[in-house]
Amino acid sequence: MASSSLLLACVVVTAMVSAVSCGPPKVPPGPNITTSYGDKWLEAKATWYGAPKGAGPKDNGGACGYKDVDKAPFLGMNSCGNDPIFKDGKGCGSCFEIKCSKPEACSDKPALIHVTDMNDEPIAAYHFDLSGLAFGAMAKDGKDEELRKAGIIDTQFRRVKCKYPADTKITFHIEKASNPNYLALLVKYVAGDGDVVEVEIKEKGSEEWKALKESWGAIWRIDTPKPLKGPFSVRVTTEGGEKIIAEDAIPDGWKADSVYKSNVQAK
């Protein structure tokens, strides 16, 4: 009886050790991806989430705060990025080319994707968790379903400038709960670098640019004891240092949960 108990205990311990050691090892994140554009391809792991031919999140949103990422100009070609790609939200909106050569279903032709969400699975120095649509876009014609069945794959990627149709301008969404003393501003559809590192506003007739603080994702906020009065201009700085001023982008009588399209775009 004692020997049977001992045998059972050994089996349990062995199973516990096996459970601890199974699964891919944790890999520390790589250096942050910056605006040093070039022809060099870097290595990354890629996975996918959401519906097989969907835009990723069920609500078509994500950790950047964007809405309707299934619609233009993103058109569902979206991805989560791990820490050096998402960069606590400062990577939101950046654009990448990604491709794969293995398994056989891969086309080795790059697909253009936008960072709209985040992931923290430590499976590689760089990890893109793509929308089902974007993952399938790396496949040969008619092989997208086969490629999605592969699960985790090795890919190559590089950062590229974001390019949008001529009628796509930098757009601002005033978040819910905003009021004259609290403004939360989502900045989206920035061409060029795509991501934003600084946002400032200036009220009509004033010479003072007021800096907003990064709230989360691509959302910036300001708290002020003096009520903000529209219209006001918005100055956006991209990671590469380009400053774009959208004059009177937010009108007098602005409202929370409203979208305001500017008439300017980054280079």
Side-chain angles (χ1 to χ4, degrees), residues 212-241:
L212 277 67
K213 297 179 181 180
E214 188 177 14
S215 182
W216 61 273
I219 298 173
W220 298 73
R221 66 176 177 82
I222 184 171
D223 299 271
T224 172
K226 182 181 178 181
L228 295 168
K229 294 181 180 180
F232 45 82
S233 302
V234 184
R235 182 163 66 186
V236 171
T237 304
T238 70
E239 186 180 0

Side-chain angles (χ1 to χ4, degrees), residues 24-25 27-28 42-48 79-82 85 98-100 102 113 119 121-130 135 138 150-157:
V27 180
L42 300 176
E43 301 295 318
K45 295 287 186 184
T47 51
W48 66 277
S79 181
C80 299
N82 68 336
I85 298 166
I98 186 167
K99 63 181 182 178
C100 65
K102 294 178 181 180
I113 59 171
N119 74 71
E121 297 175 14
I123 64 171
Y126 300 108
H127 174 204
F128 291 90
D129 195 15
L130 299 156
F135 196 92
M138 296 187 291
I152 302 175
I153 64 172
D154 293 319
T155 62
Q156 298 78 47
F157 77 98

Side-chain angles (χ1 to χ4, degrees), residues 192-210:
D193 295 327
D195 51 10
V196 173
V197 297
E198 186 177 35
V199 177
E200 303 159 282
I201 60 172
K202 184 174 71 170
E203 295 173 275
K204 190 78 170 181
S206 174
E207 296 299 318
E208 180 189 6
W209 284 101
K210 298 178 180 179

Side-chain angles (χ1 to χ4, degrees), residues 20 34 55 99 142 164 178 221 236 254 258 267:
V20 171
T34 66
K99 63 181 182 178
Y164 295 122
S178 292
R221 66 176 177 82
V236 171
W254 56 268
S258 298
K267 296 178 181 178

